[in-house]
Amino acid sequence: MTVNEFSNHLHTSHSQLDTFLGCPQRYNYQYVQGAPWEHLPASLAFGRAIHAAVAHYYRHLKQFGEPLIVGVLKACFHAEFKEAIPKDIEVLYKDGESERSMREKGDGLLEVFHAKARPQTIEAVEMPFLVDLIDPATGEILETKLAGIFDLIESDADGTMTIADLKTSARRYTENQADNHLQSTLYAYALRRLGYTTDGQNVLIRFDVLLKTKAPDMESYYAVKAEEDEAWTLALIRRVLYAIEAGAYYPVRSWRCPECPFRRRCAADIT
């Protein structure tokens, strides 16, 4: 399975579902109409560059058995951040931020990552998946599949598997945030459909969160997902797919609006 093969199938993903649940109007602009972006949030380019640098770290570790030195990790981030900054549309920085300050912030986060990461056996890095969605009530296989990319799959000395996902965040996670995260259940479901679990029944998910706080930090949060956890999420997905098919694209005002790449168009459409 490659990412390019996703387009051969009708599919949804965590990003698409999260976009619809956050604002159906944005989903319409982005995924239905394919509308051009008015700007690129700098935070999005930053997150992509951090992800790419950390993925390079794990690939190097898997191939050569030793981690990258921190200087190479930072250089990888700088190259990826430069590549992620577009030349043809505006880049939107938050107040007080600049390309330089974000590079410095990235360096700080990667120093913390390098010091705190405790990798186990690397099974896969940036592994794409595409699995059937099955209605839990009827057993029907939906036309739409679930697609995504596992950031990292690890195993310990006993062969116990863990799915790890890297996040950048301005805040520490609250209690139960990892357990209630939509992505944790989706990834556990996907791994189970591929024929794997952590201990035969449950799937262990770990969120490695790089904290963009005044003093950079990294914390790991765990969620254990059993098969019975999946029914609610799959029922939710079915309802979201119904809403998309019905064209229920209403706008939602939230903290996401200031960085939304369609905010001017949305304002014009509503008034």
Side-chain angles (χ1 to χ4, degrees), residues 37 39-53 77-86 90-93 99 102 168 212 259:
W37 286 31
H39 60 259
L40 177 76
S43 58
L44 186 58
F46 178 84
R48 287 173 178 169
I50 290 287
H51 259 88
F77 161 70
H78 283 264
E80 293 288 346
F81 193 47
K82 182 178 181 180
E83 186 71 21
I85 297 292
E90 175 192 2
V91 178
L92 184 67
Y93 293 94
E99 183 176 339
M102 297 195 82
T168 57
K212 299 181 287 186
E259 284 198 328

PDB file of all heavy atoms in Angstrom, residues 37 39-53 77-86 90-93 99 102 168 212 259:
ATOM      1  N   TRP A  37      -6.418  27.761  -1.325  1.00  0.00           N
ATOM      2  CA  TRP A  37      -6.212  28.323   0.006  1.00  0.00           C
ATOM      3  C   TRP A  37      -5.853  29.798  -0.105  1.00  0.00           C
ATOM      4  O   TRP A  37      -5.101  30.189  -1.007  1.00  0.00           O
ATOM      5  CB  TRP A  37      -5.096  27.571   0.728  1.00  0.00           C
ATOM      6  CG  TRP A  37      -5.507  26.208   1.209  1.00  0.00           C
ATOM      7  CD1 TRP A  37      -6.424  25.381   0.618  1.00  0.00           C
ATOM      8  CD2 TRP A  37      -5.027  25.518   2.363  1.00  0.00           C
ATOM      9  NE1 TRP A  37      -6.541  24.213   1.334  1.00  0.00           N
ATOM     10  CE2 TRP A  37      -5.690  24.268   2.409  1.00  0.00           C
ATOM     11  CE3 TRP A  37      -4.111  25.817   3.349  1.00  0.00           C
ATOM     12  CZ2 TRP A  37      -5.458  23.347   3.416  1.00  0.00           C
ATOM     13  CZ3 TRP A  37      -3.867  24.893   4.349  1.00  0.00           C
ATOM     14  CH2 TRP A  37      -4.537  23.672   4.383  1.00  0.00           C
ATOM     15  N   HIS A  39      -4.287  31.418   2.343  1.00  0.00           N
ATOM     16  CA  HIS A  39      -2.979  31.507   2.979  1.00  0.00           C
ATOM     17  C   HIS A  39      -2.645  30.138   3.558  1.00  0.00           C
ATOM     18  O   HIS A  39      -3.522  29.264   3.652  1.00  0.00           O
ATOM     19  CB  HIS A  39      -2.982  32.553   4.112  1.00  0.00           C
ATOM     20  CG  HIS A  39      -3.974  32.232   5.191  1.00  0.00           C
ATOM     21  ND1 HIS A  39      -5.198  32.841   5.294  1.00  0.00           N
ATOM     22  CD2 HIS A  39      -3.933  31.319   6.202  1.00  0.00           C
ATOM     23  CE1 HIS A  39      -5.865  32.344   6.319  1.00  0.00           C
ATOM     24  NE2 HIS A  39      -5.116  31.414   6.885  1.00  0.00           N
ATOM     25  N   LEU A  40      -1.399  29.959   3.918  1.00  0.00           N
ATOM     26  CA  LEU A  40      -0.990  28.737   4.613  1.00  0.00           C
ATOM     27  C   LEU A  40      -0.631  29.103   6.048  1.00  0.00           C
ATOM     28  O   LEU A  40       0.269  29.928   6.269  1.00  0.00           O
ATOM     29  CB  LEU A  40       0.236  28.110   3.935  1.00  0.00           C
ATOM     30  CG  LEU A  40       0.762  26.857   4.643  1.00  0.00           C
ATOM     31  CD1 LEU A  40      -0.141  25.669   4.348  1.00  0.00           C
ATOM     32  CD2 LEU A  40       2.198  26.548   4.226  1.00  0.00           C
ATOM     33  N   PRO A  41      -1.304  28.542   7.045  1.00  0.00           N
ATOM     34  CA  PRO A  41      -0.890  28.795   8.435  1.00  0.00           C
ATOM     35  C   PRO A  41       0.541  28.320   8.641  1.00  0.00           C
ATOM     36  O   PRO A  41       0.884  27.186   8.305  1.00  0.00           O
ATOM     37  CB  PRO A  41      -1.881  27.964   9.255  1.00  0.00           C
ATOM     38  CG  PRO A  41      -3.050  27.748   8.351  1.00  0.00           C
ATOM     39  CD  PRO A  41      -2.477  27.660   6.972  1.00  0.00           C
ATOM     40  N   ALA A  42       1.378  29.183   9.190  1.00  0.00           N
ATOM     41  CA  ALA A  42       2.782  28.804   9.412  1.00  0.00           C
ATOM     42  C   ALA A  42       2.880  27.586  10.319  1.00  0.00           C
ATOM     43  O   ALA A  42       3.803  26.781  10.188  1.00  0.00           O
ATOM     44  CB  ALA A  42       3.542  29.985  10.008  1.00  0.00           C
ATOM     45  N   SER A  43       1.916  27.457  11.236  1.00  0.00           N
ATOM     46  CA  SER A  43       1.946  26.319  12.155  1.00  0.00           C
ATOM     47  C   SER A  43       1.816  24.996  11.410  1.00  0.00           C
ATOM     48  O   SER A  43       2.354  23.974  11.849  1.00  0.00           O
ATOM     49  CB  SER A  43       0.819  26.446  13.188  1.00  0.00           C
ATOM     50  OG  SER A  43      -0.446  26.511  12.544  1.00  0.00           O
ATOM     51  N   LEU A  44       1.104  24.997  10.275  1.00  0.00           N
ATOM     52  CA  LEU A  44       0.951  23.765   9.497  1.00  0.00           C
ATOM     53  C   LEU A  44       2.277  23.378   8.846  1.00  0.00           C
ATOM     54  O   LEU A  44       2.683  22.212   8.881  1.00  0.00           O
ATOM     55  CB  LEU A  44      -0.134  23.959   8.437  1.00  0.00           C
ATOM     56  CG  LEU A  44      -0.515  22.728   7.619  1.00  0.00           C
ATOM     57  CD1 LEU A  44      -0.984  21.598   8.515  1.00  0.00           C
ATOM     58  CD2 LEU A  44      -1.605  23.080   6.613  1.00  0.00           C
ATOM     59  N   ALA A  45       2.956  24.371   8.253  1.00  0.00           N
ATOM     60  CA  ALA A  45       4.272  24.097   7.661  1.00  0.00           C
ATOM     61  C   ALA A  45       5.255  23.646   8.738  1.00  0.00           C
ATOM     62  O   ALA A  45       6.060  22.732   8.524  1.00  0.00           O
ATOM     63  CB  ALA A  45       4.788  25.347   6.963  1.00  0.00           C
ATOM     64  N   PHE A  46       5.165  24.264   9.898  1.00  0.00           N
ATOM     65  CA  PHE A  46       6.044  23.913  11.022  1.00  0.00           C
ATOM     66  C   PHE A  46       5.814  22.457  11.448  1.00  0.00           C
ATOM     67  O   PHE A  46       6.761  21.682  11.612  1.00  0.00           O
ATOM     68  CB  PHE A  46       5.753  24.866  12.179  1.00  0.00           C
ATOM     69  CG  PHE A  46       6.546  24.603  13.416  1.00  0.00           C
ATOM     70  CD1 PHE A  46       7.827  25.120  13.565  1.00  0.00           C
ATOM     71  CD2 PHE A  46       6.010  23.852  14.461  1.00  0.00           C
ATOM     72  CE1 PHE A  46       8.555  24.886  14.719  1.00  0.00           C
ATOM     73  CE2 PHE A  46       6.735  23.612  15.615  1.00  0.00           C
ATOM     74  CZ  PHE A  46       8.013  24.133  15.746  1.00  0.00           C
ATOM     75  N   GLY A  47       4.559  22.087  11.615  1.00  0.00           N
ATOM     76  CA  GLY A  47       4.240  20.725  12.028  1.00  0.00           C
ATOM     77  C   GLY A  47       4.704  19.691  11.013  1.00  0.00           C
ATOM     78  O   GLY A  47       5.221  18.631  11.377  1.00  0.00           O
ATOM     79  N   ARG A  48       4.533  20.000   9.725  1.00  0.00           N
ATOM     80  CA  ARG A  48       4.986  19.064   8.685  1.00  0.00           C
ATOM     81  C   ARG A  48       6.499  18.877   8.743  1.00  0.00           C
ATOM     82  O   ARG A  48       7.010  17.766   8.581  1.00  0.00           O
ATOM     83  CB  ARG A  48       4.584  19.607   7.308  1.00  0.00           C
ATOM     84  CG  ARG A  48       3.095  19.518   6.998  1.00  0.00           C
ATOM     85  CD  ARG A  48       2.770  20.236   5.696  1.00  0.00           C
ATOM     86  NE  ARG A  48       1.353  20.116   5.357  1.00  0.00           N
ATOM     87  CZ  ARG A  48       0.765  20.828   4.393  1.00  0.00           C
ATOM     88  NH1 ARG A  48       1.486  21.681   3.661  1.00  0.00           N
ATOM     89  NH2 ARG A  48      -0.516  20.670   4.142  1.00  0.00           N
ATOM     90  N   ALA A  49       7.230  19.981   8.966  1.00  0.00           N
ATOM     91  CA  ALA A  49       8.691  19.902   8.993  1.00  0.00           C
ATOM     92  C   ALA A  49       9.176  19.112  10.212  1.00  0.00           C
ATOM     93  O   ALA A  49      10.124  18.325  10.118  1.00  0.00           O
ATOM     94  CB  ALA A  49       9.280  21.308   8.992  1.00  0.00           C
ATOM     95  N   ILE A  50       8.533  19.326  11.368  1.00  0.00           N
ATOM     96  CA  ILE A  50       8.900  18.556  12.568  1.00  0.00           C
ATOM     97  C   ILE A  50       8.634  17.068  12.337  1.00  0.00           C
ATOM     98  O   ILE A  50       9.467  16.203  12.652  1.00  0.00           O
ATOM     99  CB  ILE A  50       8.098  19.058  13.790  1.00  0.00           C
ATOM    100  CG1 ILE A  50       8.566  20.461  14.213  1.00  0.00           C
ATOM    101  CG2 ILE A  50       8.216  18.076  14.950  1.00  0.00           C
ATOM    102  CD1 ILE A  50       9.907  20.511  14.899  1.00  0.00           C
ATOM    103  N   HIS A  51       7.478  16.761  11.767  1.00  0.00           N
ATOM    104  CA  HIS A  51       7.135  15.363  11.481  1.00  0.00           C
ATOM    105  C   HIS A  51       8.174  14.715  10.564  1.00  0.00           C
ATOM    106  O   HIS A  51       8.613  13.582  10.785  1.00  0.00           O
ATOM    107  CB  HIS A  51       5.759  15.292  10.813  1.00  0.00           C
ATOM    108  CG  HIS A  51       4.667  14.903  11.746  1.00  0.00           C
ATOM    109  ND1 HIS A  51       3.966  15.821  12.492  1.00  0.00           N
ATOM    110  CD2 HIS A  51       4.138  13.700  12.074  1.00  0.00           C
ATOM    111  CE1 HIS A  51       3.069  15.201  13.227  1.00  0.00           C
ATOM    112  NE2 HIS A  51       3.149  13.907  12.994  1.00  0.00           N
ATOM    113  N   ALA A  52       8.540  15.439   9.509  1.00  0.00           N
ATOM    114  CA  ALA A  52       9.481  14.882   8.532  1.00  0.00           C
ATOM    115  C   ALA A  52      10.844  14.641   9.171  1.00  0.00           C
ATOM    116  O   ALA A  52      11.493  13.619   8.912  1.00  0.00           O
ATOM    117  CB  ALA A  52       9.606  15.834   7.347  1.00  0.00           C
ATOM    118  N   ALA A  53      11.294  15.568  10.027  1.00  0.00           N
ATOM    119  CA  ALA A  53      12.593  15.407  10.679  1.00  0.00           C
ATOM    120  C   ALA A  53      12.581  14.194  11.619  1.00  0.00           C
ATOM    121  O   ALA A  53      13.523  13.390  11.636  1.00  0.00           O
ATOM    122  CB  ALA A  53      12.947  16.677  11.449  1.00  0.00           C
ATOM    123  N   PHE A  77      15.167  19.361   9.812  1.00  0.00           N
ATOM    124  CA  PHE A  77      14.000  20.213  10.064  1.00  0.00           C
ATOM    125  C   PHE A  77      14.088  21.511   9.261  1.00  0.00           C
ATOM    126  O   PHE A  77      13.108  21.929   8.627  1.00  0.00           O
ATOM    127  CB  PHE A  77      13.898  20.515  11.562  1.00  0.00           C
ATOM    128  CG  PHE A  77      13.053  21.713  11.884  1.00  0.00           C
ATOM    129  CD1 PHE A  77      11.674  21.685  11.715  1.00  0.00           C
ATOM    130  CD2 PHE A  77      13.637  22.887  12.345  1.00  0.00           C
ATOM    131  CE1 PHE A  77      10.897  22.803  11.993  1.00  0.00           C
ATOM    132  CE2 PHE A  77      12.870  24.000  12.631  1.00  0.00           C
ATOM    133  CZ  PHE A  77      11.496  23.963  12.447  1.00  0.00           C
ATOM    134  N   HIS A  78      15.243  22.158   9.267  1.00  0.00           N
ATOM    135  CA  HIS A  78      15.390  23.435   8.554  1.00  0.00           C
ATOM    136  C   HIS A  78      15.135  23.249   7.059  1.00  0.00           C
ATOM    137  O   HIS A  78      14.485  24.084   6.423  1.00  0.00           O
ATOM    138  CB  HIS A  78      16.783  24.011   8.796  1.00  0.00           C
ATOM    139  CG  HIS A  78      16.934  24.646  10.148  1.00  0.00           C
ATOM    140  ND1 HIS A  78      16.777  26.001  10.363  1.00  0.00           N
ATOM    141  CD2 HIS A  78      17.190  24.106  11.367  1.00  0.00           C
ATOM    142  CE1 HIS A  78      16.948  26.266  11.656  1.00  0.00           C
ATOM    143  NE2 HIS A  78      17.197  25.133  12.285  1.00  0.00           N
ATOM    144  N   ALA A  79      15.658  22.156   6.497  1.00  0.00           N
ATOM    145  CA  ALA A  79      15.448  21.902   5.066  1.00  0.00           C
ATOM    146  C   ALA A  79      13.976  21.638   4.776  1.00  0.00           C
ATOM    147  O   ALA A  79      13.418  22.138   3.782  1.00  0.00           O
ATOM    148  CB  ALA A  79      16.299  20.712   4.625  1.00  0.00           C
ATOM    149  N   GLU A  80      13.329  20.866   5.637  1.00  0.00           N
ATOM    150  CA  GLU A  80      11.916  20.542   5.423  1.00  0.00           C
ATOM    151  C   GLU A  80      11.037  21.788   5.619  1.00  0.00           C
ATOM    152  O   GLU A  80      10.049  21.974   4.903  1.00  0.00           O
ATOM    153  CB  GLU A  80      11.477  19.438   6.391  1.00  0.00           C
ATOM    154  CG  GLU A  80      12.119  18.090   6.139  1.00  0.00           C
ATOM    155  CD  GLU A  80      11.594  17.412   4.879  1.00  0.00           C
ATOM    156  OE1 GLU A  80      10.551  17.850   4.350  1.00  0.00           O
ATOM    157  OE2 GLU A  80      12.241  16.443   4.444  1.00  0.00           O
ATOM    158  N   PHE A  81      11.394  22.640   6.590  1.00  0.00           N
ATOM    159  CA  PHE A  81      10.607  23.859   6.818  1.00  0.00           C
ATOM    160  C   PHE A  81      10.722  24.801   5.620  1.00  0.00           C
ATOM    161  O   PHE A  81       9.738  25.399   5.181  1.00  0.00           O
ATOM    162  CB  PHE A  81      11.087  24.551   8.097  1.00  0.00           C
ATOM    163  CG  PHE A  81      10.168  25.637   8.593  1.00  0.00           C
ATOM    164  CD1 PHE A  81       8.800  25.440   8.692  1.00  0.00           C
ATOM    165  CD2 PHE A  81      10.672  26.871   8.970  1.00  0.00           C
ATOM    166  CE1 PHE A  81       7.955  26.445   9.149  1.00  0.00           C
ATOM    167  CE2 PHE A  81       9.840  27.884   9.431  1.00  0.00           C
ATOM    168  CZ  PHE A  81       8.473  27.664   9.512  1.00  0.00           C
ATOM    169  N   LYS A  82      11.916  24.925   5.067  1.00  0.00           N
ATOM    170  CA  LYS A  82      12.098  25.747   3.875  1.00  0.00           C
ATOM    171  C   LYS A  82      11.264  25.214   2.723  1.00  0.00           C
ATOM    172  O   LYS A  82      10.639  25.974   1.976  1.00  0.00           O
ATOM    173  CB  LYS A  82      13.587  25.758   3.480  1.00  0.00           C
ATOM    174  CG  LYS A  82      13.886  26.630   2.278  1.00  0.00           C
ATOM    175  CD  LYS A  82      15.391  26.626   1.973  1.00  0.00           C
ATOM    176  CE  LYS A  82      15.677  27.524   0.764  1.00  0.00           C
ATOM    177  NZ  LYS A  82      17.147  27.522   0.458  1.00  0.00           N
ATOM    178  N   GLU A  83      11.246  23.903   2.584  1.00  0.00           N
ATOM    179  CA  GLU A  83      10.463  23.275   1.504  1.00  0.00           C
ATOM    180  C   GLU A  83       8.969  23.471   1.720  1.00  0.00           C
ATOM    181  O   GLU A  83       8.199  23.590   0.758  1.00  0.00           O
ATOM    182  CB  GLU A  83      10.788  21.769   1.478  1.00  0.00           C
ATOM    183  CG  GLU A  83      10.166  21.007   0.325  1.00  0.00           C
ATOM    184  CD  GLU A  83      10.804  21.324  -1.019  1.00  0.00           C
ATOM    185  OE1 GLU A  83      11.954  21.802  -1.058  1.00  0.00           O
ATOM    186  OE2 GLU A  83      10.129  21.093  -2.029  1.00  0.00           O
ATOM    187  N   ALA A  84       8.545  23.510   2.999  1.00  0.00           N
ATOM    188  CA  ALA A  84       7.110  23.595   3.302  1.00  0.00           C
ATOM    189  C   ALA A  84       6.562  25.007   3.178  1.00  0.00           C
ATOM    190  O   ALA A  84       5.345  25.201   3.138  1.00  0.00           O
ATOM    191  CB  ALA A  84       6.854  23.069   4.719  1.00  0.00           C
ATOM    192  N   ILE A  85       7.455  26.008   3.152  1.00  0.00           N
ATOM    193  CA  ILE A  85       7.016  27.397   3.012  1.00  0.00           C
ATOM    194  C   ILE A  85       6.748  27.678   1.536  1.00  0.00           C
ATOM    195  O   ILE A  85       7.676  27.667   0.729  1.00  0.00           O
ATOM    196  CB  ILE A  85       8.079  28.381   3.548  1.00  0.00           C
ATOM    197  CG1 ILE A  85       8.293  28.175   5.044  1.00  0.00           C
ATOM    198  CG2 ILE A  85       7.676  29.816   3.244  1.00  0.00           C
ATOM    199  CD1 ILE A  85       7.121  28.573   5.902  1.00  0.00           C
ATOM    200  N   PRO A  86       5.510  27.933   1.157  1.00  0.00           N
ATOM    201  CA  PRO A  86       5.209  28.129  -0.269  1.00  0.00           C
ATOM    202  C   PRO A  86       5.646  29.510  -0.761  1.00  0.00           C
ATOM    203  O   PRO A  86       5.780  30.448   0.017  1.00  0.00           O
ATOM    204  CB  PRO A  86       3.688  27.993  -0.325  1.00  0.00           C
ATOM    205  CG  PRO A  86       3.229  28.440   1.026  1.00  0.00           C
ATOM    206  CD  PRO A  86       4.303  28.033   1.995  1.00  0.00           C
ATOM    207  N   GLU A  90       0.342  33.530   0.570  1.00  0.00           N
ATOM    208  CA  GLU A  90       0.767  34.144   1.828  1.00  0.00           C
ATOM    209  C   GLU A  90       0.960  33.093   2.913  1.00  0.00           C
ATOM    210  O   GLU A  90       0.203  32.130   2.995  1.00  0.00           O
ATOM    211  CB  GLU A  90      -0.303  35.147   2.280  1.00  0.00           C
ATOM    212  CG  GLU A  90      -0.058  35.781   3.636  1.00  0.00           C
ATOM    213  CD  GLU A  90      -1.279  36.536   4.153  1.00  0.00           C
ATOM    214  OE1 GLU A  90      -2.314  36.515   3.446  1.00  0.00           O
ATOM    215  OE2 GLU A  90      -1.196  37.113   5.235  1.00  0.00           O
ATOM    216  N   VAL A  91       1.981  33.285   3.743  1.00  0.00           N
ATOM    217  CA  VAL A  91       2.173  32.449   4.930  1.00  0.00           C
ATOM    218  C   VAL A  91       1.695  33.245   6.138  1.00  0.00           C
ATOM    219  O   VAL A  91       2.137  34.386   6.345  1.00  0.00           O
ATOM    220  CB  VAL A  91       3.643  32.040   5.102  1.00  0.00           C
ATOM    221  CG1 VAL A  91       3.816  31.198   6.375  1.00  0.00           C
ATOM    222  CG2 VAL A  91       4.123  31.258   3.886  1.00  0.00           C
ATOM    223  N   LEU A  92       0.773  32.689   6.907  1.00  0.00           N
ATOM    224  CA  LEU A  92       0.162  33.405   8.023  1.00  0.00           C
ATOM    225  C   LEU A  92       0.863  33.042   9.329  1.00  0.00           C
ATOM    226  O   LEU A  92       0.790  31.904   9.792  1.00  0.00           O
ATOM    227  CB  LEU A  92      -1.328  33.057   8.118  1.00  0.00           C
ATOM    228  CG  LEU A  92      -2.114  33.809   9.191  1.00  0.00           C
ATOM    229  CD1 LEU A  92      -2.201  35.297   8.852  1.00  0.00           C
ATOM    230  CD2 LEU A  92      -3.504  33.220   9.350  1.00  0.00           C
ATOM    231  N   TYR A  93       1.536  34.028   9.910  1.00  0.00           N
ATOM    232  CA  TYR A  93       2.182  33.843  11.216  1.00  0.00           C
ATOM    233  C   TYR A  93       1.303  34.442  12.302  1.00  0.00           C
ATOM    234  O   TYR A  93       0.636  35.465  12.079  1.00  0.00           O
ATOM    235  CB  TYR A  93       3.552  34.529  11.242  1.00  0.00           C
ATOM    236  CG  TYR A  93       4.568  33.905  10.318  1.00  0.00           C
ATOM    237  CD1 TYR A  93       4.745  34.398   9.026  1.00  0.00           C
ATOM    238  CD2 TYR A  93       5.334  32.830  10.733  1.00  0.00           C
ATOM    239  CE1 TYR A  93       5.678  33.827   8.168  1.00  0.00           C
ATOM    240  CE2 TYR A  93       6.263  32.252   9.885  1.00  0.00           C
ATOM    241  CZ  TYR A  93       6.430  32.752   8.609  1.00  0.00           C
ATOM    242  OH  TYR A  93       7.344  32.179   7.767  1.00  0.00           O
ATOM    243  N   GLU A  99       9.397  33.531  10.603  1.00  0.00           N
ATOM    244  CA  GLU A  99      10.063  32.307  10.145  1.00  0.00           C
ATOM    245  C   GLU A  99      11.268  32.002  11.042  1.00  0.00           C
ATOM    246  O   GLU A  99      11.509  30.850  11.407  1.00  0.00           O
ATOM    247  CB  GLU A  99      10.500  32.465   8.690  1.00  0.00           C
ATOM    248  CG  GLU A  99      11.141  31.204   8.124  1.00  0.00           C
ATOM    249  CD  GLU A  99      11.478  31.338   6.652  1.00  0.00           C
ATOM    250  OE1 GLU A  99      10.893  32.209   5.975  1.00  0.00           O
ATOM    251  OE2 GLU A  99      12.341  30.573   6.173  1.00  0.00           O
ATOM    252  N   MET A 102      10.229  30.633  14.454  1.00  0.00           N
ATOM    253  CA  MET A 102       9.725  29.261  14.370  1.00  0.00           C
ATOM    254  C   MET A 102      10.867  28.276  14.146  1.00  0.00           C
ATOM    255  O   MET A 102      10.818  27.140  14.620  1.00  0.00           O
ATOM    256  CB  MET A 102       8.678  29.155  13.269  1.00  0.00           C
ATOM    257  CG  MET A 102       7.450  30.021  13.553  1.00  0.00           C
ATOM    258  SD  MET A 102       6.018  29.637  12.553  1.00  0.00           S
ATOM    259  CE  MET A 102       5.349  28.246  13.440  1.00  0.00           C
ATOM    260  N   THR A 168       2.515  18.222  17.901  1.00  0.00           N
ATOM    261  CA  THR A 168       3.025  19.448  18.507  1.00  0.00           C
ATOM    262  C   THR A 168       1.822  20.165  19.095  1.00  0.00           C
ATOM    263  O   THR A 168       0.752  20.196  18.497  1.00  0.00           O
ATOM    264  CB  THR A 168       3.737  20.344  17.474  1.00  0.00           C
ATOM    265  OG1 THR A 168       2.848  20.663  16.404  1.00  0.00           O
ATOM    266  CG2 THR A 168       4.974  19.660  16.915  1.00  0.00           C
ATOM    267  N   LYS A 212       5.015  23.241  22.751  1.00  0.00           N
ATOM    268  CA  LYS A 212       5.549  24.543  22.324  1.00  0.00           C
ATOM    269  C   LYS A 212       5.357  25.569  23.444  1.00  0.00           C
ATOM    270  O   LYS A 212       4.882  26.671  23.222  1.00  0.00           O
ATOM    271  CB  LYS A 212       4.857  24.987  21.034  1.00  0.00           C
ATOM    272  CG  LYS A 212       5.073  24.030  19.863  1.00  0.00           C
ATOM    273  CD  LYS A 212       4.400  24.513  18.595  1.00  0.00           C
ATOM    274  CE  LYS A 212       2.910  24.364  18.662  1.00  0.00           C
ATOM    275  NZ  LYS A 212       2.236  24.703  17.392  1.00  0.00           N
ATOM    276  N   GLU A 259      -7.028  30.969  11.819  1.00  0.00           N
ATOM    277  CA  GLU A 259      -6.023  30.372  10.925  1.00  0.00           C
ATOM    278  C   GLU A 259      -6.656  29.686   9.719  1.00  0.00           C
ATOM    279  O   GLU A 259      -5.940  29.178   8.849  1.00  0.00           O
ATOM    280  CB  GLU A 259      -5.163  29.362  11.682  1.00  0.00           C
ATOM    281  CG  GLU A 259      -4.116  29.994  12.586  1.00  0.00           C
ATOM    282  CD  GLU A 259      -3.024  29.020  12.962  1.00  0.00           C
ATOM    283  OE1 GLU A 259      -3.324  27.810  13.078  1.00  0.00           O
ATOM    284  OE2 GLU A 259      -1.875  29.447  13.127  1.00  0.00           O
TER     285      GLU A 259
END
